[in-house]
Amino acid sequence: MAVTSEISTREAEVLTLVGEHLSNAEIGARLFISVRTVESHVSSLLRKLDMPDRRALALHAAATRAASPRPAPALPKPLTSFIGRTRERAELTELIKTQRQVTAVGPGGVGKTRLALAVVADVASDFADGVWFVDLVPIASPDMCVVAGTVAMALGIGEQPGRGFDRAVLAALADRNALLVLDNCEHVRDGVAPFVEQLLAACPGMSVLATSRARLMVPFERVYSVPPMSLAGDGDSDAVALFMDRAAAGGWPPNHAMRDQVATFCERLDGVALAIELAAARWTTLGLDGLAAGLDDQLRMLSGGARADDRHRSVRAALDWSHALLEPEDRMLLRRVSVFMTSFPVEAAADAAGLDKGAVAAGLARLVEQSLLVVTDTPTGTQFRALETIRQYGLEQLEAAGEVTDARAGHLRWCLAEAGDLSVVRADWRARFDTAADDFRAALGWACERPDRRSDAYGLARLLAPLMFTRHLTGESRWRYEQAAHLADDPAAAAELLRHAAAAAGCQGNGDDMYRLYRAAAEFAQRAGDSAAASIDLATAAASAYRFWGKFERIPAREDLVALIAEARRLAAAPTSAAPAGIAAGTDAAPASAAPADIARAGAVTVDPARAEAARAAIALAEAVVLANPFGAPQGVTDVPAPEVVSSVERAVELTHATRDPFAESAALDALAAAQSRAGELRAAAATARRRIRLLSTTPDNPVGTHELIDALGQATEFGLGAGDLAGARRWGRQLAEHPMLAEVGHTATSRLLVADALAGNVEDVLAHSARFLEAWHREERPARSALGAAVAGVRMIHGLRDDYDAEREWTGVLQQLGTPATDADGYQAVFDALLMLHHGQPEDALERTELTPAEARTRVTGAWLPWYLALHAEAAALTGNTTTSGDLAQARTEVTGNPVATAIIDRAEALLAKDRDRLLSTATTFESAGCVYQSARTRILAGGADATEGAAMLTTLGVSPMTALVHL
């Protein structure tokens, strides 16, 4: 491995995180740098460390980090030198420089991949954003989304909630000038072709080099036929050089005088690189005469046909011959391990072969010696891998030997054990999972097609679903939960799996699927005879349509949800069956109107008091949420008085708390905090949100818990701001920004933290996180999400405080594109506008911007922003010398009770009106204690004299432009 230049400190940090298998967005969030910057560092590392792809880079990083005294492992890169092909290298290089899509075609074993890697090294400097290499061998499905997902993982692009990998890749590469190498496309051409076509159309700076046994048949494709190794020059040909180099690796270099004989031998192999390498591996044991004699029969039987077919036959001949020379047990081992999609350890091979581990280890070593397998030493142990051509050959031999079922069953057995072991997350978890994931998928696909393997398929799907969630592949996790549910023989187990699938859909931001899956869970619960559980599922679906209405494409109508609650009530009143045989097989549960004798004949009936209590609690919450609408969902705002809404939700909280189900109680607390905010009880709402986070802090990291926690963190941040708890709001906002589930959607992750930092005047933090916000927003094609408006308005204000007018205009444009509702004009927009106007000495404009009276503001300004609005109105009035606002000040003080920052702003306004300098300066201490240094500095400037000088210095430290102070005491 050649290191061409020194690795910088930042590159070393990126390399370490690549070794932890983090995506580019996760690395960017961890290091507070943009995804674009991460990509640049990764590209530089690939070049400096001479690595072909991200997987090799991750292995290198893990090996460097490992404390083991073993030497650095052999990396998954070409383990031997590149020989010859000067003409082909130059021709393909020129094509890539002039054409946007080139496909290098040729038979298996001709050397397409090795040539592509050599050419990539030659052209890398021509692409500003680097070269990315993606091996498509592990893909079992030709679906375009699967191809896009593989590309995304190779490029370090994680899954974005509510967005397919295909769109994520196109958005990430839209403005890139890079070369994407897609290796081994032949078995997934139906997925690669449309992906490449869309990529080149959407990303004008991208170029694609594909290797395949057949052309892709896409527009603008330029095909380059990779020829065999050159035979020109006899003993000095490329083919001879390749044989001599590989034979010398065995420790017994051929005599130079034999080059002409070697040339004749290589000609009989048609110059096919793989065939030459396989033969050279036998040089030390057979010599050239033995090699020639061994091939005689094979080539004689395979004579005739077109030249291209001859090359195929040459590889087949070399493989057949090499295979025939193996001992029977090694032949069996080679074909058995061909079921593995990627690399595998000895233990896995032993399961697939059904042999003793020691015997398998020795056999794998012999196969490596014969160049039929490659070996890699990783921090997690030794791994073996077959080249794709050899793997395909092994699968053919497996089929011919009639051993497919046994080998696949052994492979499945190992996958079940490995998936079970991965259920415990350890330090090397990501690397182990990423290595085995494609084998898990392949084994599950095989098992699902065989009725006699249904139980194993269920077991693997049930294990794979939470593993996918832990790996933040949320979309596939939801699919695997659904798959496991439909494979389950027990409808009660299926219902539980569908609940997790529903929560995973919620984590994706897909409310429609969440709603559908909760209703499906209710159907399975009824089949299990558990009407109480079905009642809970229906009530949860109804409540979710209000709690998470912003995640829905088609919001369920209120009347439909009322009917759902009525059905939940009916089911809650029905007796619960102990799942008699008929019901377990899929029949409907006994209807509520059935006579006791009929129910008894259907099966034993039990009434679980705890489950019945949980159903009552879920229904109470659904009724409070749907009928009172504390969340302001668009299904309709009711005229239920705020105190009554709070009271009804408090009852639901009591009931859910009694069930000891933290997720049910969290949902009720969510509704309570929303109701308290609607009632103007912002301090109580913030306390409820904090209670909710404490409740969830010890819950499992599963889809249900994660969905609740992310929502709770956002709620705690928002209501913390309303209560003036800036330190708490920033703490919860930072947890949200750093949550791994949101790493790929930096705009969503950072939005709450940006609001808190903007209100606190933390300029440096706003600038850092706003870069992540803006990049992610552009990467997701600038979604018009009004929920992001407060963050954008806050960033715009910060740029205004810095007199950076270009940036201020840019963020004004972003705000206009979000489609924020008109009601926000009297909320956060008015607050941030007034703060900026006051900074620039425009109190009259600020007073006009906050012109609503306290009574008017209470109905038009959203809860969390009301105290800030009223406080800034008071200060604007004081600075304009308006002495008719004393009544408004008194009323505003009452409205902001519980918000120390807003209260301090009103205190400052009253001090300005009274010209009370000591009282004015006392507010500076309050602001500092609240973590609001900007307002503390502003107070000192308003005080004048030496305090004003100190305040100005504080603003300079913050990175804020000088403040215009129209009043000095």
Side-chain angles (χ1 to χ4, degrees), residues 686-699:
T688 299
R690 293 194 300 272
R691 175 182 166 188
R692 186 180 173 202
I693 290 178
R694 288 194 300 272
L695 175 70
L696 294 169
S697 63
T698 58
T699 55

Side-chain angles (χ1 to χ4, degrees), residues 17-23 26 54-55 58 138 153-154 341-343 383 414 418 422 428-441 467-468 470-473:
L17 297 178
V18 169
E20 295 177 14
H21 290 244
L22 299 186
S23 70
E26 289 172 317
R54 191 183 185 94
R55 180 175 294 182
M153 294 296 284
M341 300 297 295
T342 54
S343 57
Q383 297 276 326
W414 176 80
E418 182 71 0
L422 283 169
D428 61 348
W429 188 91
R430 276 202 176 195
R432 286 180 59 198
F433 176 81
D434 287 355
T435 299
D438 288 311
D439 279 297
F440 292 158
R441 295 180 178 111
L467 294 179
M468 288 291 177
T470 301
R471 188 59 180 89
H472 309 312
L473 298 173

